[in-house]
Amino acid sequence: MNQDFHSQLSSYIKSKDSENATKVVLNELGLCLAKDRENFIEILNNAGISASPSDTDLVLIEKFVQNAHHNKRLLLGASYLIHYRNKITNFDGEDEVSDMGIKNTYYALAHHFNGEEEEENAEGEDQSNWIGTALALGKKILGGKDFL
């Protein structure tokens, strides 16, 4: 768990500092590629982007960047993967993926790659019901386990 990641991201989102929020998220995304390459590749493949373990890191990054601006499924999958790797401890002492963290991360990625200002920013809720899609996608990608 990386509480520093969660607190930094939340703070930047609340203060509407999208530049620093994006830096924090992109740093975590880079760590996903470096430390969880298999799932990073799976995120690309599940978003309809052909990727294989034989692709170099640079090729995988290029595929992500070239498709991020028009592939919501890719951004949702990346958001979930980042938070799967940065689980928080709930009141029962169990690790779980943060719903608000996924929303904040998606917001930062969408803003960076698309210039999107969702209906509200991630802290303002009203993000439709896409969080369920992200959780289902993450569950599928990471082996069908229940994470919440």
Side-chain angles (χ1 to χ4, degrees):
M1 177 182 77
N2 187 345
Q3 191 61 37
D4 193 42
F5 164 73
H6 288 285
S7 60
Q8 283 181 346
L9 179 60
S10 180
S11 173
Y12 291 141
I13 293 291
K14 284 179 183 175
S15 67
K16 300 184 187 291
D17 184 351
S18 59
E19 183 178 335
N20 281 317
T22 300
K23 286 179 184 177
V24 169
V25 168
L26 292 178
N27 182 60
E28 287 298 317
L29 189 59
L31 290 173
C32 289
L33 175 58
K35 297 183 178 201
D36 199 357
R37 193 171 199 279
E38 182 179 320
N39 282 324
F40 188 91
I41 291 168
E42 193 65 28
I43 293 288
L44 289 166
N45 286 323
N46 279 311
I49 302 159
S50 179
S52 74
S54 63
D55 289 340
T56 65
D57 288 350
L58 184 58
V59 168
L60 294 173
I61 291 167
E62 285 177 3
K63 288 179 180 187
F64 186 94
V65 170
Q66 289 172 354
N67 290 281
H69 70 282
H70 68 285
N71 194 324
K72 188 172 188 173
R73 188 175 179 109
L74 177 61
L75 297 183
L76 287 171
S79 298
Y80 187 87
L81 179 59
I82 287 168
H83 283 278
Y84 178 75
R85 293 180 36 76
N86 287 282
K87 292 180 185 178
I88 58 172
T89 303
N90 66 20
F91 292 112
D92 297 329
E94 297 175 6
D95 287 342
E96 68 180 10
V97 175
S98 165
D99 291 352
M100 185 54 69
I102 293 173
K103 291 177 183 181
N104 286 342
T105 300
Y106 177 82
Y107 171 77
L109 288 171
H111 182 78
H112 179 71
F113 288 106
N114 305 330
E116 284 184 19
E117 294 285 343
E118 292 285 327
E119 297 133 24
E120 293 260 344
N121 78 15
E123 292 293 333
E125 291 294 321
D126 197 351
Q127 295 277 322
S128 71
N129 196 16
W130 54 260
I131 192 68
T133 303
L135 292 173
L137 178 63
K139 182 176 177 181
K140 178 182 175 191
I141 290 169
L142 298 171
K145 299 175 191 151
D146 235 343
F147 298 111
L148 297 178

